[in-house]
């Protein structure tokens, strides 16, 4: 039986493995079907992790994490976990090949991914002028014109954030009404360099070898078209959490989740199921930053150590 099973090999999972093994747990396995590193490995530039002054690609940034996090005995099993069950005091991990693994405690750190719009050019320029994180990438477009696709709270909040950095922010939304809270929307409308384009959709994201240069837009009421010159498009239309491992055969979830399917945890990353922890982007109110995911993983590992000590 494992002392601790970690599901997911991104910053949260790796950090959890480092702190758990360095903290004294001897039988810790991280289940990650591919190579560890997580979503950040696809980022073209990483420059906001404290203590790492050099600007690196996400892949290069994560490379030393593996050597460090496996140094104290963390094991990596390239297997996909389909489901986690609680059976008495212990947990059962059901793998995709139907093999079952028993563990005293579990940390789920499967993360999530931003929803994509499917607009022509989005995949071509993703990471090269198309982004899903203003906090991560906004600084690269300081004093430049950018656009946001979306109409919810996140989109409008990020527009306000970008307005402090960029020369102009254009919010593109397919409806005249916004899902964002009225208070947030009113704050955005008070920013002189935020423009709202409604009801518009994006026909194509345009660019060249240097990245995004503009958008082709269509008015969804009258069919008229227009072009918009920008340096970056932030696609903020939602986020999918990778929560399938939490679901049971009867479609219930092993622990409490929010209306968006995020695991509800406390400040120790504990769910309402003793011994089950969730770290990183899968938890409620996740900032979706590498430094925060890593901190979550460390916190969850310390909690798992404490839990196992108390249940010997």
């Amino acid at each position: 039986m494992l002392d601790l099973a970690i599901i997911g090999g991104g910053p949260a999972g790796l950090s959890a493995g480092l702190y758990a093994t360095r903290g004294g747990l001897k039988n810790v396995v991280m289940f990650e079907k591919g190579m560890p590193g997580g979503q950040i490995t696809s980022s073209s530039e990483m420059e906001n992790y404290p203590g790492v002054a050099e600007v690196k690609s996400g892949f290069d940034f994560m490379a030393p994490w593996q050597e460090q996090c496996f140094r104290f005995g963390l094991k990596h099993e390239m297997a996909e976990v389909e489901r986690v069950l609680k059976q008495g005091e212990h947990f059962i991990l059901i793998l995709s090949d139907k093999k079952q693994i028993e563990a005293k405690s579990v940390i789920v750190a499967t993360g999530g991914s931003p929803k994509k719009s499917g607009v022509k050019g989005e995949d071509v320029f993703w990471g090269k002028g198309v982004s899903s994180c203003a906090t991560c990438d906004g600084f690269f477009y300081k004093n430049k014109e950018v656009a946001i696709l979306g109409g919810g709270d996140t989109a409008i909040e990020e527009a306000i954030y970008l307005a402090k950095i960029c020369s102009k922010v254009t919010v593109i939304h397919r409806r005249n009404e916004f899902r964002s809270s009225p208070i947030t929307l009113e704050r955005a409308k008070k920013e002189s360099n935020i423009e709202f384009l409604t009801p518009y959709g994006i026909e194509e994201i345009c660019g060249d070898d240097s990245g995004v240069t503009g958008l082709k837009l269509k008015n969804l009421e009258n069919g008229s078209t227009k072009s918009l010159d920008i340096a970056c498009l932030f696609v903020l239309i939602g986020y999918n959490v990778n929560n399938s491992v939490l679901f049971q055969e009867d479609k219930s979830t092993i622990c409490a989740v929010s209306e968006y399917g995020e695991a509800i945890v406390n400040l120790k990353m504990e769910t309402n199921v003793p011994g089950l922890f969730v770290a990183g982007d899968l938890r409620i109110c996740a900032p979706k930053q590498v430094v925060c995911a890593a901190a979550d993983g460390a916190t969850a590992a310390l909690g798992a150590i404490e839990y196992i000590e108390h249940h010997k």
Side-chain angles (χ1 to χ4, degrees):
M1 181 188 300
L2 301 181
D3 282 337
L4 172 63
I6 300 169
I7 307 172
L14 285 166
S15 181
L18 170 62
Y19 272 75
T21 51
R22 191 174 181 273
L25 295 186
K26 299 299 183 186
N27 198 6
V28 182
V29 175
M30 183 183 72
F31 294 85
E32 172 61 67
K33 191 174 182 180
M35 290 301 295
Q39 188 183 157
I40 189 63
T41 56
S42 62
S43 176
S44 59
E45 292 180 302
M46 178 69 184
E47 68 166 11
N48 62 347
Y49 197 90
V52 182
E54 182 184 355
V55 179
K56 297 183 177 183
S57 69
F59 183 86
D60 289 338
F61 172 77
M62 290 305 301
W65 284 51
Q66 295 184 41
E67 188 277 328
Q68 182 186 20
C69 294
F70 287 97
R71 186 181 300 165
F72 300 97
L74 173 66
K75 299 180 181 67
H76 175 205
E77 184 162 338
M78 286 192 177
E80 181 180 2
V81 179
E82 286 190 346
R83 190 163 61 254
V84 178
L85 313 174
K86 185 74 184 285
Q87 198 170 82
E89 289 294 312
H90 302 143
F91 295 89
I92 303 294
L93 277 63
I94 310 295
L95 305 187
S96 57
D97 62 2
K98 305 310 174 186
K99 181 181 177 183
Q100 298 188 7
I101 305 292
E102 198 170 5
K104 296 177 183 177
S105 60
V106 175
I107 297 174
V108 183
T110 46
S113 58
K115 291 182 180 178
K116 291 191 174 184
S117 66
V119 170
K120 182 179 180 182
E122 182 179 46
D123 288 337
V124 174
F125 295 107
W126 195 269
K128 294 180 288 185
V130 178
S131 171
S132 62
C133 181
T135 310
C136 310
D137 298 331
F139 185 79
F140 297 123
Y141 302 97
K142 186 176 182 180
N143 298 324
K144 295 181 179 180
E145 294 190 15
V146 301
I148 286 177
L149 177 64
D153 279 327
T154 299
I156 304 306
E157 287 166 3
E158 296 283 54
I160 296 169
Y161 172 83
L162 288 169
K164 312 297 184 186
I165 302 171
C166 304
S167 61
K168 183 179 179 181
V169 181
T170 303
V171 178
I172 302 162
H173 187 44
R174 61 186 301 106
R175 300 180 183 87
N176 287 314
E177 301 78 24
F178 288 84
R179 301 188 310 279
S180 175
S181 67
I183 293 175
T184 304
L185 189 60
E186 192 60 34
R187 282 178 55 212
K189 288 181 176 179
K190 290 179 180 178
E191 297 286 346
S192 60
N193 60 338
I194 296 180
E195 180 183 354
F196 294 87
L197 282 181
T198 63
Y200 273 88
I202 300 175
E203 295 279 277
E204 184 178 357
I205 301 168
C206 306
D208 53 29
D209 291 342
S210 66
V212 169
T213 57
L215 305 173
K216 292 181 180 178
L217 306 175
K218 182 177 181 180
N219 186 297
L220 302 180
E221 279 185 348
N222 58 32
S224 63
T225 60
K226 66 181 297 181
S227 296
L228 183 68
D229 293 331
I230 58 162
C232 184
L233 171 68
F234 293 91
V235 179
L236 301 171
I237 56 176
Y239 194 82
N240 294 316
V241 289
N242 300 327
N243 62 4
S244 60
V245 299
L246 302 178
F247 281 87
Q248 310 296 283
E249 286 188 301
D250 63 0
K251 307 303 180 184
S252 66
T253 53
I254 187 174
C255 63
V257 299
S258 72
E259 60 181 309
Y260 304 109
E262 304 153 326
I264 298 173
V265 299
N266 61 18
L267 292 177
K268 291 184 176 182
M269 303 301 134
E270 296 170 322
T271 67
N272 63 320
V273 177
L276 178 65
F277 302 80
V278 172
D281 290 359
L282 178 56
R283 71 164 172 91
I284 55 167
C285 302
K288 300 175 180 63
Q289 299 293 306
V290 175
V291 67
C292 301
D296 281 3
T299 301
L302 295 174
I305 293 171
E306 182 180 359
Y307 172 82
I308 291 171
E309 285 294 318
H310 288 171
H311 289 80
K312 281 185 176 179

